[in-house]
Amino acid sequence: MKVAVIDCLGRGSKGKRLATLDAIGVGPRLVVGIIESLGDKAELLMCEDVLESRVSLGDYDAVFISGMSTDKASVINVARKCRGRPVIAGGPVFVEYDYLVKNGVDYVIWGEGELSIPELMKFLRGGSDVSKVPNLIYRGKKGIVRNPGPPYANSPPLWAFQPSIKAIMSYPLWRASRVYVEVVRGCSNFYRPTIPLANGKRCIGCNLCRNGSLEDRFKCPLNIPPGCGYCSVPALFGPARSRPIKQIVEEVKELIRLGVKRIVLSAPDFLDYGRDWLVEPKPLTDPRRPPPNIEALESLLSKLSSINEVNRGEAYIMIENVKPNLVNEEVANILGKYLKGTPISIGLESGDEEFHIALGRPSTVPEVINAVKLLIKTGLRPYIYLIHGLPRESKKIIRNTINIVKKLADLGVEKFTLYRFTPLKYTAFEGYPRPQPAIKSKTSRKLYFTVRKLNEKLKKRFLGKIIKALVAGVEGNGLILYPLPHGPVIRVMYDGEMRYSVGDLVMVKITSVLSDRELGGVIIG
């Protein structure tokens, strides 16, 4: 069979990305890799190209579409372009299965593709019955059917399939982008929030999630989804499971050989890496115990750092999210040893201590502050995540958050990212209304302007610096550049004859702060 795999991740309802244009996720490449390993042909296509009819789907026998729950409109619009062939949707958008099946998607894969795609491909070839495909959702004679299957994959089949390397070249900006390489699937935080749910139910304080056995953490008398109240990862993708070091190193090596310059080790929490090995065969469902697996972290990072191109500074390894409660001096020293000068993201979400914990967070506000101090001391560049419009948020909570944000800025945090709360399905906070944008909210407005002002101020630290950057494209009479290893977008006015291509390496002197998100500069070499 010849299969099209269409990336709709981050396209929202518009059918195109409006932010994080330089991020290439894992999912679509993995789907291509699974299908190819089963002996079929697969090609990776972009959502925009399909919607704008720049590619033809006439030659494909089936279409797989990958998206987030917020991308469901784009997924449906793509599905309507695929009439006459089976359409399968997967990725986090699977929580919208009812909407998808009713609007043109034939099949929805619930959960992890490793569990479903092998049997699904047999069915699509005509050699199997649809009822044998685990975790598959589709329209039956009496309504929507959901086939049974395990809630998440263990090894095997987890890690039995590898993402396609060559598929990376389907992305227009692949030479300049951050390419994500999966190292951990799932999350260890099986705490529950104590904020009342939209239906009025609330955690009754039975302590199963915080003090019970590992098995007890899966049980909740009120069936409250585990994890931070706004996050669906533990409920949908299970506890943290670590990918073998050898597979990670091989994938990174092949991507770098192809020409990728920026690699992000993808994980809901990088510091969960190897912690599951310390408790196996039991699942890792405690976000605080055991402490980080120092031996596993050191082994992985040392092997990646020894790759010639990484060692010479021609390619960069980064991580993204870490739980602040797992950051100690030993962890910070290891991260600083191998990742010095790279960004690292920490979830604060709220700076109000009581509210922070009530959200289901595994950490405390003092632990966030301590983690920032330790990571800066060892040469990393902390970014902080915030969320506004959360259930039961008050002006007092916002005031306390603003105070902590200012304190973190003084400590040396490089960037704050403020997200608007989205009530995702299969989270504890499902059912709450989506709040107004921060700029229109009487409660969150002050936090919005504080973050915006601080981000602009913090970017002044770049003035006069010479930065290595990759050309990402042309906009108007200027170039768009991405710093190495990562940082604010840089715009360079360019009036001469265009002689740069995507992925070209240049040296830029920063001359201005254009906004809270962008810098201006001149190419000096």
Side-chain angles (χ1 to χ4, degrees), residues 358-416:
L359 293 172
R361 298 283 303 160
S363 56
T364 65
V365 173
E367 284 174 331
V368 174
I369 295 170
N370 184 59
V372 167
K373 289 178 179 178
L374 290 173
L375 294 169
I376 288 175
K377 182 180 177 182
T378 56
L380 282 96
R381 299 156 51 196
Y383 290 4
I384 295 290
Y385 292 141
L386 302 160
I387 301 177
H388 78 86
L390 287 158
R392 304 302 175 101
E393 187 177 77
S394 66
K395 289 185 177 180
K396 177 187 174 185
I397 288 170
I398 291 294
R399 283 197 303 271
N400 289 339
T401 298
I402 289 172
N403 290 337
I404 296 298
V405 163
K406 289 179 177 178
K407 182 173 183 177
L408 291 171
D410 289 339
L411 289 175
V413 164
E414 186 170 304
K415 178 187 175 186
F416 296 92

Side-chain angles (χ1 to χ4, degrees), residues 240-279:
R241 288 148 293 153
S242 303
R243 188 180 179 195
I245 290 177
K246 184 178 180 181
Q247 288 186 13
I248 298 168
V249 173
E250 282 305 308
E251 183 179 351
V252 170
K253 282 182 177 179
E254 290 185 51
L255 287 168
I256 290 174
R257 288 191 194 113
L258 197 62
V260 172
K261 297 289 194 298
R262 301 195 291 161
I263 303 284
V264 180
L265 305 181
S266 177
D269 174 18
F270 178 72
L271 297 183
D272 274 343
Y273 188 77
R275 289 180 65 231
D276 52 316
W277 300 338
L278 299 177
V279 299

Side-chain angles (χ1 to χ4, degrees), residues 118-284:
E119 199 64 39
L120 176 58
M121 291 304 296
K122 289 182 185 178
F123 162 68
L124 292 175
R125 294 189 213 105
S128 178
D129 186 87
V130 69
S131 64
K132 295 181 180 179
V133 183
N135 297 328
L136 193 68
I137 300 171
Y138 52 95
R139 186 185 295 276
K141 293 181 179 179
K142 297 182 180 180
I144 291 179
V145 178
R146 178 177 169 186
N147 292 346
Y152 56 88
N154 280 315
S155 182
L158 189 66
W159 317 130
F161 302 99
Q162 305 309 310
S164 167
I165 300 299
K166 67 177 178 60
I168 200 72
M169 294 187 290
S170 298
Y171 293 90
L173 301 180
W174 69 273
R175 292 181 183 278
S177 291
R178 290 171 291 154
V179 176
Y180 284 67
V181 170
E182 187 173 33
V183 298
V184 175
R185 179 88 58 85
C187 180
S188 64
N189 183 19
F190 274 66
Y191 291 173
R192 267 78 175 179
T194 57
I195 293 172
L197 280 61
N199 60 12
K201 293 182 179 180
R202 64 179 299 163
C203 176
I204 58 177
C206 62
N207 288 324
L208 285 181
C209 63
R210 291 181 183 262
N211 299 314
S213 68
L214 292 175
E215 290 79 8
D216 286 339
R217 293 174 195 275
F218 285 102
K219 305 169 186 175
C220 176
L222 297 179
N223 203 28
I224 299 172
C228 301
Y230 46 83
C231 178
S232 60
V233 170
L236 299 181
F237 295 100
R241 288 148 293 153
S242 303
R243 188 180 179 195
I245 290 177
K246 184 178 180 181
Q247 288 186 13
I248 298 168
V249 173
E250 282 305 308
E251 183 179 351
V252 170
K253 282 182 177 179
E254 290 185 51
L255 287 168
I256 290 174
R257 288 191 194 113
L258 197 62
V260 172
K261 297 289 194 298
R262 301 195 291 161
I263 303 284
V264 180
L265 305 181
S266 177
D269 174 18
F270 178 72
L271 297 183
D272 274 343
Y273 188 77
R275 289 180 65 231
D276 52 316
W277 300 338
L278 299 177
V279 299
E280 60 185 2
K282 294 182 177 180
L284 179 65

